[in-house]
């Protein structure tokens, strides 16, 4: 490479490089340094170096850290499969040639994704209100059962329901996942379906033997993005209950706990440790997914993803 | 040469554009944060804005900027501002709980008091000392006190044909049969059940009462936490003498009394009912559906009550009365870039316009000369045409809780979150083993307190 090419190359990547250094690398280094400090945001002047005391507290002394990780894993087990199935089902519907007004429906299903999620969560909060929410009123109207009020369906307050409720709220924002599934479905060559049909495969067989294997790279991508997103799951429990963990601490997820330690209790040092734990969790589960992908992700032409 | 000439002309034009007429000296900006205590409710906003407007018109040195944040968001907002290095200069009115939620964030006012020779004798000396913290100095100047008492919806009593509570501390309750009862928690429970009504008109003492469709309740403690609830049965603290955690036994009794009131006797609004539209999303008394509510004087400053009501004594527990007290102050943050200007504003708020502000917030002024006829003036102005048992409010002061229910604890916010989880649990679940949960609360608080000692 000639020198002038090298310089131009550097000049072109300089904005990204600067952005990476300022907004990623520096905060990460700073975050690690904070994790070694007793650093209260209310009184920065009293900051002291404490070594790995915060790390020991997180791993040994504070059961809430592990409990919050357990909660997010349980929530992930519920919300991720439901979210993926819902997004795939909608994508299949939008891909169907029998659906009239496909473009209009695609727009309608994507539209919620561009609504600010905070606004969406606040709307859902109203819709799910046990006394006045439309859902309970509709169920009551249709079935005649008494489901409003204290002994009714308490979507946002019943510990047995809360993860399903948050999953339901999450479905609202799945527009991007749906679009990616749709792109995957549209990338499957039509000849494969024709060949399968000639071989006598019915709709179900075509789906499980052609569609599903060929969209596994898309499923893989969506699952990885979904897992990373769940490790950082924050907005609904924060907007609905100010991150209080209500009900029964069930929504005290790692990000909520991080926010609470760092910005409510103002323990920036300890908060930094929890942020690192969230980072490592995301990394760990992503690595597991990558390691296992060779057994269930199929790429066109039989090539294995490097 | 021509190019240089053009450059000079362009620069001159740019500078001329920037300059304009002779500029006025910049005013020092002082940000006043309202939200941790009273002052965020609609009727108080205009009055605060008016005070700021007047102050700014009188000044060529300081520009006062008002930031009003709703109380339920104020803690997070201030925490975020502190963490971003963007803290306001003056914070208040704020109670002890709000102040100690941000321990270490405030400056010692004593040097500024001395520098500006602020006359502390305008307050009662014990009230000034109330704000002196060992190791931290004078954290705030006294501003207002807010005794607590019972707000009673007299219309609901009349409708039910039940005699009203006694009008003075020490008097017994006389029931509809002329029988006297001590004005205590047992009596409150008994009459509260009669005042609790379902949609079919049955009261909570009736076997036909339908707890799934309650439309009116007898009693509630409005807008307080576990410590506030416990204090109705007597003052106490979570902090044990050795620095660990303890649960005062009478607080446990109070929580069980409330739990029973919510889920068994049904005279106390539980979580789902309490936060519903039916009860004005937590503003129980104004909803007109709760006959007796224990709350502070500040509530009378902004409540929108459209029925006949009055104030009554706080009931006793085992012969002892405790009327929890709130005391508000103003503080200056350590992050303030202009503590001197901030102190001038603070002095203005606690001295020059203290009477006016106290009238807005519904607090008794800490400034001695204003205390005289405060209550009469305040109630006559805020609630014209109505007669109130004002002596009850004054007398409530002598039953103030000590230790105060808002007093400091180690890891204040963390402990606060933990005991709020406990109240969330008992307010929202009808099948809680309260004793076991109290034990768990004690153990968790103990861990939190001991971690803070390390």
């Amino acid at each position: 490479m000639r020198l002038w090419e090298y310089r131009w190359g550097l000049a072109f990547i300089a904005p990204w490089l600067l952005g990476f250094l300022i907004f990623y690398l520096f905060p990460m280094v700073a975050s690690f340094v904070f994790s070694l400090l007793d650093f209260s945001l209310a009184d920065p002047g009293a900051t002291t170096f404490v070594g790995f005391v915060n790390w020991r507290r997180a791993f040994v002394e504070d059961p809430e850290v592990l409990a919050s990780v357990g909660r997010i894993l349980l929530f992930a087990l519920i919300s991720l499969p439901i979210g993926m199935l819902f997004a795939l089902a909608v994508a299949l519907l939008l891909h169907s040639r029998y659906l009239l007004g496909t473009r209009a429906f695609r727009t309608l299903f994507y539209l919620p994704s561009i609504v600010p999620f905070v606004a969406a969560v606040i709307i859902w909060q109203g819709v799910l209100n046990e006394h006045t929410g439309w859902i309970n009123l509709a169920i009551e109207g249709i079935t005649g059962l008494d489901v409003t009020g204290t002994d009714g369906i308490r979507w946002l307050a019943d510990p047995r329901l809360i993860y399903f409720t948050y999953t339901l709220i999450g479905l609202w924002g799945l527009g991007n996942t749906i679009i990616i599934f749709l792109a995957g479905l549209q990338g499957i060559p039509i000849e494969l379906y024709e060949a399968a049909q000639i071989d006598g495969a019915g709709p179900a067989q075509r789906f499980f033997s052609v569609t599903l294997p060929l969209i596994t790279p898309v499923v893989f991508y969506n699952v990885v993005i979904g897992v990373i997103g769940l490790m950082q799951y924050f907005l609904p429990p924060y907007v609905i209950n100010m991150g209080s963990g209500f009900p029964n601490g069930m929504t005290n997820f790692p990000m909520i706990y991080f926010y609470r330690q760092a910005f409510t209790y103002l323990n920036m040092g300890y908060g930094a440790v929890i942020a690192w734990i969230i980072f490592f969790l995301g990394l760990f589960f992503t690595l597991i997914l990558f390691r296992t992908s060779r057994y269930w992700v199929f790429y066109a032409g039989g090539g294995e993803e490097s | 040469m021509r190019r240089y000439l053009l450059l000079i002309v362009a620069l001159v034009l740019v500078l001329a554009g920037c300059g304009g007429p002779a500029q006025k000296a910049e005013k020092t900006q002082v940000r006043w944060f309202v939200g941790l205590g009273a002052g965020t409710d609609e009727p108080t906003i205009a009055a605060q804005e008016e005070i700021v407007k007047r102050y700014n018109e009188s000044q060529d040195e300081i520009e006062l900027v008002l930031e009003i944040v709703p109380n339920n968001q104020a803690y997070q907002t201030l925490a975020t501002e502190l963490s971003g290095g963007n803290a306001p200069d003056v914070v208040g009115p704020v109670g002890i709980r709000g102040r100690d939620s941000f321990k270490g964030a405030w400056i010692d006012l004593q040097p500024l008091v001395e520098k500006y020779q602020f006359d502390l004798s305008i307050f009662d000396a014990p009230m000034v000392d109330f704000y002196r913290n060992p190791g931290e100095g004078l954290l705030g100047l006294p501003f207002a006190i807010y005794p607590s008492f019972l707000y009673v919806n007299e219309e609901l009593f009349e409708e039910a044909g039940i005699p009203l509570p006694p009008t003075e501390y020490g008097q017994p309750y006389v029931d509809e049969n002329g029988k006297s009862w001590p004005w205590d928690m047992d009596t409150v429970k008994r009459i509260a059940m009669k005042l609790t009504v379902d949609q079919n008109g049955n009261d909570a003492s009736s076997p036909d009462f339908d707890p799934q469709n309650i439309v009116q309740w007898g009693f509630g403690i409005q807008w307080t936490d576990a410590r506030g609830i416990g204090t109705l049965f007597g003052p106490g603290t979570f902090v044990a003498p050795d620095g660990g955690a303890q649960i005062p036994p009478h607080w446990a009794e109070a929580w069980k009394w409330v739990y029973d009131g919510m889920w068994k006797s049904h005279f106390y609004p539980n979580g789902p009912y309490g936060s519903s539209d039916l009860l004005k999303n937590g503003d129980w008394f104004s909803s007109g559906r709760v006959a007796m509510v224990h709350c502070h004087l500040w509530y009378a400053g902004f409540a929108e009550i459209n029925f006949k009501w009055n104030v009554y004594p706080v009931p006793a527990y085992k012969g002892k009365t405790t009327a929890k007290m709130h005391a508000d102050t103003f503080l200056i943050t350590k992050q303030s870039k202009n503590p001197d200007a901030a102190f001038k504003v603070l002095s203005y708020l606690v001295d020059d316009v203290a009477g006016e502000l106290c009238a807005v917030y519904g607090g008794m002024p800490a400034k001695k000369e204003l205390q005289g006829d405060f209550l009469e003036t305040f109630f006559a102005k805020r609630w014209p045409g109505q007669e109130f048992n004002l002596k009850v409010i004054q007398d409530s002061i002598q039953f103030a809780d000590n230790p105060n229910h808002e007093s400091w604890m180690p890891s204040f916010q963390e402990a606060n979150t933990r005991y709020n989880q406990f109240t969330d649990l008992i307010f929202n679940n009808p099948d809680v083993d309260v004793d076991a949960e109290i034990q768990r609360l004690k153990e968790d608080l103990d861990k939190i307190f001991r971690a803070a000692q390390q």
Side-chain angles (χ1 to χ4, degrees):
Chain A
M1 186 185 282
R2 292 175 196 158
L3 187 63
W4 67 270
E5 282 180 322
Y6 180 75
R7 283 179 179 161
W8 273 111
L10 266 183
F12 278 118
I13 64 161
W16 180 88
L17 207 59
L18 274 175
F20 174 75
L21 290 174
I22 296 168
F23 297 114
Y24 286 88
L25 195 63
F26 172 71
M28 284 181 82
V29 173
S31 161
F32 182 72
V33 173
F34 287 172
S35 76
L36 306 176
L37 305 174
D38 180 8
F39 176 16
S40 167
L41 285 170
D43 196 5
T47 302
T48 52
F49 179 80
V50 292
F52 285 91
V53 165
N54 289 325
W55 289 85
R56 194 189 67 207
R57 181 180 164 195
F59 284 103
V60 182
E61 295 163 5
D62 185 356
E64 192 55 31
V65 176
L66 191 61
S68 69
V69 172
R71 286 182 204 115
I72 200 65
L73 292 182
L74 180 60
F75 179 55
L77 281 175
I78 293 168
S79 74
L80 206 59
I82 293 177
M84 289 298 137
L85 285 175
F86 174 81
L88 181 58
V90 173
L92 283 167
L93 181 74
L94 297 177
H95 183 56
S96 169
R97 59 187 160 159
Y98 301 111
L99 181 71
L100 289 175
T102 313
R103 288 184 180 175
F105 276 110
R106 284 177 188 171
T107 310
L108 284 174
F109 275 101
Y110 188 70
L111 214 54
S113 303
I114 58 170
V115 173
F117 203 45
V118 173
V121 172
I122 291 170
I123 291 167
W124 274 104
Q125 208 175 351
V127 171
L128 293 163
N129 184 293
E130 58 229 40
H131 293 279
T132 55
W134 297 345
I135 291 188
N136 275 10
L137 292 176
I139 295 172
E140 201 165 272
I142 293 165
T143 64
L145 297 170
D146 184 11
V147 296
T148 53
T150 315
D151 261 17
I153 306 175
R154 299 169 61 205
W155 299 98
L156 295 164
D158 189 333
R160 294 164 302 181
L161 282 180
I162 194 69
Y163 290 165
F164 291 100
T165 306
Y166 278 29
T167 300
L168 178 69
I169 293 171
L171 298 182
W172 181 259
L174 279 176
N176 281 328
T177 314
I178 293 169
I179 292 290
I180 292 166
F181 270 129
L182 190 58
L185 291 171
Q186 286 173 339
I188 300 173
I190 195 84
E191 302 84 46
L192 294 178
Y193 289 112
E194 287 169 356
Q197 207 162 3
I198 290 165
D199 286 345
Q205 266 184 308
R206 289 203 295 275
F207 175 74
F208 285 108
S209 303
V210 179
T211 309
L212 208 52
L214 286 175
I215 61 162
T216 48
V218 177
V219 174
F220 175 63
Y221 172 81
N222 278 336
V223 169
V224 168
I225 295 296
V227 166
I228 293 171
L230 277 168
M231 289 306 123
Q232 299 170 16
Y233 191 73
F234 176 76
L235 224 137
Y238 181 76
V239 172
I240 293 171
N241 291 307
M242 296 297 285
S244 66
F246 181 83
N248 294 8
M250 294 283 285
T251 58
N252 194 18
F253 299 123
M255 269 302 279
I256 290 282
Y257 194 49
F258 154 72
Y259 181 84
R260 198 190 290 160
Q261 283 290 348
F263 297 108
T264 305
Y265 308 156
L266 307 175
N267 296 329
M268 191 47 89
Y270 191 51
V273 174
I274 298 167
W276 276 97
I277 290 172
I278 293 167
F279 170 75
F280 285 127
L281 274 177
L283 189 67
F284 174 72
F285 288 113
T286 308
L287 283 176
I288 286 183
L289 283 170
F290 269 91
R291 294 289 292 178
T292 58
S293 68
R294 69 182 65 172
Y295 303 111
W296 62 276
V297 179
F298 305 99
Y299 291 94
E304 204 174 82
E305 179 71 352
S306 60
Chain B
M1 184 64 193
R2 188 185 288 172
R3 278 200 306 183
Y4 287 114
L5 198 66
L6 281 173
L7 183 66
I8 291 165
V9 170
L11 281 172
V12 168
L13 284 172
V14 168
L15 288 172
C18 293
Q23 288 188 334
K24 283 199 287 187
E26 286 269 315
K27 284 184 180 178
T28 304
Q29 210 172 66
V30 171
R31 289 164 55 205
W32 171 20
F33 182 96
V34 179
L36 295 182
T40 63
D41 293 281
E42 193 57 38
T44 68
I45 294 171
Q48 290 168 112
E49 286 171 345
E50 173 60 27
I51 283 169
V52 169
K53 185 169 166 262
R54 281 209 320 267
Y55 183 78
N56 285 335
E57 283 169 357
S58 74
Q59 285 284 314
D60 51 14
E61 182 191 346
I62 294 169
E63 183 194 0
L64 185 53
V65 180
L66 183 62
E67 290 176 18
I68 299 180
V69 180
N71 185 263
N72 61 357
Q73 295 160 29
Y75 286 84
Q76 301 286 2
T77 305
L78 185 60
T80 308
E81 289 190 358
L82 280 166
S83 63
N86 181 37
D89 301 279
V90 175
V91 175
V94 53
I96 303 300
R97 177 174 172 266
R99 184 193 72 181
D100 289 348
S101 293
F102 300 95
K103 193 170 175 63
W106 318 113
I107 65 166
D108 176 9
L109 296 177
Q110 189 62 41
L112 290 164
V113 165
E114 285 160 18
K115 182 176 177 182
Y116 292 101
Q117 297 179 331
F118 185 87
D119 180 12
L120 289 176
S121 69
I122 63 171
F123 308 115
D124 288 312
M127 278 309 296
V128 176
D129 292 340
F130 186 72
Y131 293 106
R132 291 189 198 279
N133 267 25
E136 292 182 292
L138 182 63
L139 300 184
L141 294 181
F143 170 65
I145 58 170
Y146 305 86
S148 65
F149 42 84
L150 285 196
Y151 287 79
V152 170
N153 183 333
E154 294 185 333
E155 290 179 16
L156 295 185
F157 273 78
E158 283 162 20
E159 200 176 279
I162 294 171
L164 287 159
T167 54
E168 277 184 41
Y169 280 100
Q171 285 181 347
Y173 177 75
V174 182
D175 70 13
E176 56 273 34
N177 303 315
K179 190 176 174 190
S180 288
W181 302 86
W183 183 233
D184 62 11
M185 304 315 298
D186 294 332
T187 305
V188 164
K189 179 180 173 179
R190 197 164 46 250
I191 62 171
M193 286 179 71
K194 290 180 187 169
L195 287 157
T196 301
V197 180
D198 69 14
Q199 65 180 12
N200 299 317
N202 298 312
D203 71 54
S205 60
S206 156
D208 298 327
F209 180 73
D210 175 10
Q212 305 315 322
N213 290 292
I214 307 175
V215 293
Q216 178 185 308
W217 288 260
F219 181 80
I221 310 172
Q222 188 166 321
W223 291 329
T224 193
D225 59 12
R227 295 197 292 175
I229 293 170
T231 299
L232 189 60
F233 280 49
T237 172
F238 280 134
V239 186
D242 68 347
Q246 64 178 9
I247 306 288
H250 52 283
W251 283 15
E253 285 306 310
W255 298 334
K256 286 194 270 189
W257 186 86
V258 166
Y259 187 77
D260 172 273
M262 288 187 293
W263 302 107
K264 291 175 188 158
S265 310
H266 305 291
F267 64 85
Y268 194 110
N270 59 31
Y273 275 126
S275 57
S276 70
D277 295 343
L278 197 67
L279 290 179
K280 269 180 100 175
N281 304 309
D283 187 357
W284 298 347
F285 193 66
S286 290
S287 76
R289 292 177 181 274
V290 184
M292 294 177 280
V293 158
H294 181 215
C295 202
H296 291 263
L297 179 58
W298 42 254
Y299 184 65
F302 60 82
E304 289 172 8
I305 305 169
N306 302 311
F307 48 82
K308 194 177 159 209
W309 66 283
N310 209 331
V311 301
Y312 286 88
V314 178
Y317 172 70
K318 290 188 176 170
K320 191 182 173 209
T321 304
T322 310
K324 66 190 170 81
M325 174 69 85
H326 282 170
D328 271 354
T329 184
F330 284 92
L331 311 152
I332 297 176
T333 59
K334 276 184 183 165
Q335 286 185 16
S336 172
K337 293 173 189 74
N338 301 292
D340 286 75
F343 186 75
K344 286 176 188 168
V345 168
L346 188 145
S347 311
Y348 174 74
L349 296 173
V350 300
D351 188 359
D352 300 28
V353 289
E356 202 176 330
L357 270 178
C358 282
V360 171
Y361 300 143
M364 283 187 75
K367 191 176 169 184
K368 285 187 287 187
E369 67 174 55
L370 299 174
Q371 286 175 341
D373 55 1
F374 162 78
L375 285 178
E376 279 188 22
T377 311
F378 169 70
F379 274 86
K381 199 171 168 188
R382 180 76 180 87
W383 304 98
Q386 295 188 55
E387 290 288 319
F388 291 98
N389 305 326
L390 296 182
K391 189 169 181 303
V392 164
I393 301 175
Q394 282 173 297
D395 289 348
S396 291
I397 297 170
Q398 64 182 294
F399 300 107
D401 51 330
N402 184 17
N404 187 266
H405 64 290
E406 295 198 318
S407 57
W408 182 80
M409 300 171 291
S411 292
F412 194 92
Q413 279 284 23
E414 195 170 354
N416 188 50
T417 303
R418 179 60 188 90
Y419 70 67
N420 281 344
Q421 283 171 356
F422 167 76
T423 39
D424 271 349
L425 187 73
I426 64 168
F427 269 69
N428 288 285
N429 295 283
D431 47 6
V432 173
D433 181 345
V434 182
D435 283 316
E437 289 303 328
I438 289 171
Q439 183 58 28
R440 272 185 60 196
L441 173 65
K442 179 182 178 293
E443 287 163 10
D444 289 352
L445 286 177
D446 199 61
K447 278 182 205 152
I448 292 168
F449 291 173
R450 298 213 184 272
Q453 287 173 339
Q454 287 173 3

